Amino acid sequence: MAAATSPDCTMSSEPTASTSASAARSVMTTPPAAPTPLSPNSAEVKAEDEVDELQDDNVGDAAAPRAPAAAAALASASKTRKSSCAHCHVRKIKCSQDRPSCASCLRKGHVCRYAEDAETPTRLRGQLTVVSATNPNEKFTGDVPTRVTPTWAAGSSSATGSASAGVSTKRKKKLDREKIVNGYGSSSDEESSVSVKSSARRTVDGDIADLVGDATPVDKHDIELLELASAPPPKKKPRASQPPVSISVPRPAAADPYSAPVRVLLASLPSAETCAILLDTFFADPFLTEGFSLLQARLLADCWALLERPPAGRLDDPDATILACVFAMLAAALRVLPAETSRLLLASGRSAAPRSVGRVIAPCATEPDPTPLDQRYVELSMLAAQLAEQHDKASLTLVVQKLVLFRLASLRPGGRTTLAAGWLAQAIKTAQVLGLTRERDTLPQIEREVMRRLMWALYVEDRQFAFDTTLPYSIVETHMAIHIPSPIAEQDLMKISPDAPILPPHATEAGPTACTALFIHTHLARRTVQLLDSFAVIPLAGTPQDLIARFDASLDAFQDALPPYLRLHPLTDTRFDVAHQYLAPHRVRLHVTLLALRTTVHRPHVATYLAPSTTPVLRAMLVQLHFASLRAQRSARVLDPKLVPRLYSAATVFEAVATLALVMHVERALGVVTPPDIMAMRADMADGCELLDGADDYAQAAATTMRRLTEKLDAAKTMNILTDNHTLSPPLSVGSGQGAPEAEPKAAAVSRLVEGWAGAGIDLAVALRDPRSPAWNAILSGM
């Protein structure tokens, strides 16, 4: 290409623009050769410059699309011949293939070398003459080094090149718009390399547009492209997406912390038929419902309302309390029934068989659960009560549930354990929180009587438990600011006006009622306070004799003051027994309790009573006391089988028979007993041996010990009570030295016998309650 020597060479439109674009790219890629200055001609150059500007305005529409098309073609052609730099090739990483340094080498500071630069020499395709726009006489000519000949400068016609460039530009703008909208991410090497190469191409296009005199019209998309090319690659923007469509998916309702566990416990109840039978058994018991029989209708109504609740119905306060009380009543009903009832219910499958807590903790699918059904209901009652204490308000139903669990534990021998004491303490505490220890003047009389009976029932149980276990009682006497429960019948109580200030008086001698037993037991429990207070300071064995004498005299007077229909056989008035079926059990229980109190306080002092130095009055008192105990136990054996285990005690029978045998032996040795008394004691001993006939180990051991005692008494040499020449020895006068001379050696022998028990470490109070004690071997050998 020859150098231009006249102004005509600067006025060529298309070849000049093409050549100028090629020259501009050559200047950017390869340093140009030294320019050759030409002779200046300022006026001609200025005129020619104005003509060039007018021509550029006329050809702007055709020349505009050529620069982008040329850049795209050049980039496409260059991309096919490029290869990775030496550094990226050795490390086997992706190379951006930028010149003079790729993106990886530029970032890490390495020298970027390409293999093709050393192998392919630069080829000169021609020279380029550039005329100054201000001084046409100033012209510069240089070589054009290039490796690729652009397709738009290869001699194609202007019309064809313009059309193809226009299509390529539209496609490029569309792609660039999408890239601008979507953005590029810096974490992707591929997108980074594409961004760097695109920036290089856009920079070239911008420079070509500047060289041709801004012939290409600039719109907002071109400005965005130029800014994108000049700026560093933007961080990847989140892809624009449509707002998420909210689909309302029904979520399961959150588990109700109250209804869900109560409904699970509710599923463990037996069938309605079985539940009705067990509840009838519970409320027919004269002992279990004492103190809250007025609440029977209310408790049953709440129970059936809970059982008839729809499965999807909401459960609320006080459903957990009612369920806990129902489970306790079912367990108590099964406890008083024969043991076969529980096994039959489990085997029949007619009732739900809840798992015991032990099987819940340690499941075992191979072996059957040996836990009785009543014990499972007790555990369920405790779980429901725990839920009720967390969510329900305190109520009379919760007090009843605790009281029933305490009485249920007392149904079995040795059942008054720490757990039972806890139930009683919880019942008392709940009752005190509810204000049952003070009168409510604003309530009707029947509601006040309900609270009185329930609170005094707790009082009686508290005093009896403290006496049996020698533990302090929980209810302080001064806190009971309520009236004694009235013995009025329930049907008569319903007829009293709610506005009545006081209840009408009722004479217990006129006849019994269902509440008469609670009325009598309340007075009996209040008489034990003085002795229980002494137990807190002095043990029972160290209680002074005068205090024991006063306590026994008080109980004896109380026993004599009982109504005729509550006295012990043979002084019993049985006219009311047929009309009141509960009367006989209440009578027997009253005397069993009363005699147990008297026997307990005398038991630690039996060895003292047997000593010859003790007055015979105390031994006679022991004989009468144990006579009455045997009669009460004989009456208990003929009651309803469900009541016998709670009233009959083989230990009481053995203690009575053994005490009679020891007293008879001492009295015969001292010669102060009459034949009728001996015959009466022998008859009672025989009856006691018959009462001890049982299948349990304790009864068999007691019967064996009693036979040995009887044989020992029969073999005594002093047994001449049936002879005609029998003479009675005058009773000893303790400390006076008077009496028959032959009585002194007998008294000495009895003294040695009693002292020998103490010397051998024999606790007679313990041996009288345990026929299997080794102490009986020493006692029998010394008789």
Side-chain angles (χ1 to χ4, degrees), residues 608-631:
T608 305
Y609 297 161
L610 295 178
S613 58
T614 305
T615 174
V617 176
L618 294 178
R619 291 193 290 270
M621 180 271 301
L622 277 182
V623 172
Q624 296 300 324
L625 178 62
H626 289 291
F627 278 167
S629 295
L630 289 176
R631 288 197 298 270

Side-chain angles (χ1 to χ4, degrees), residues 393-568:
K393 297 179 181 179
S395 61
L396 296 179
T397 306
L398 186 61
V399 179
V400 171
Q401 184 258 349
K402 302 296 184 183
L403 180 58
V404 171
L405 287 180
F406 171 76
R407 290 176 175 174
L408 185 146
S410 304
L411 292 177
R412 291 180 178 175
R416 297 199 170 188
T417 57
T418 306
L419 184 60
W423 286 331
L424 181 60
Q426 292 175 13
I428 294 173
K429 183 64 176 179
T430 307
Q432 292 174 344
V433 170
L434 293 174
L436 270 63
T437 56
R438 60 182 183 272
E439 288 289 343
R440 301 290 187 89
D441 298 334
T442 58
L443 295 179
Q445 282 293 338
I446 186 171
E447 293 293 336
R448 295 165 64 181
E449 185 63 21
V450 167
M451 296 181 179
R452 292 191 200 109
R453 293 185 180 184
L454 183 57
M455 191 64 218
W456 283 109
L458 293 174
Y459 178 90
V460 171
E461 297 290 355
D462 180 48
R463 293 295 186 268
Q464 185 65 37
F465 183 80
F467 194 89
D468 294 341
T469 59
T470 65
L471 295 175
Y473 50 80
S474 301
I475 303 176
V476 182
E477 196 74 19
T478 56
H479 291 173
M480 298 295 292
I482 54 177
H483 299 298
I484 298 293
S486 174
I488 300 177
E490 297 180 3
Q491 58 271 18
D492 297 334
L493 193 62
M494 299 291 183
K495 300 176 183 179
I496 298 176
S497 173
D499 300 333
I502 58 175
L503 292 176
H506 178 80
T508 55
E509 293 80 4
T513 63
C515 192
T516 301
L518 179 61
F519 176 78
I520 298 296
H521 278 280
T522 301
H523 285 283
L524 178 61
R526 299 185 69 180
R527 289 177 178 263
T528 62
V529 175
Q530 184 180 3
L531 191 64
L532 290 175
D533 291 340
S534 68
F535 289 168
V537 182
I538 305 172
L540 185 59
T543 305
Q545 187 63 40
D546 56 344
L547 180 60
I548 293 178
R550 289 198 304 269
F551 178 70
D552 184 75
S554 173
L555 295 181
D556 187 55
F558 180 83
Q559 188 174 8
D560 294 338
L562 289 175
Y565 54 82
L566 287 178
R567 292 182 181 178
L568 192 60

Side-chain angles (χ1 to χ4, degrees), residues 37 78 90 198 322 424 485 501 553 633 657 691-692 719 722 737 762 773:
S78 300
V90 171
S198 301
I322 297 172
L424 181 60
Q633 293 297 317
V657 175
L691 292 175
L692 287 174
M719 187 63 177
L722 297 180
I762 297 175
S773 173

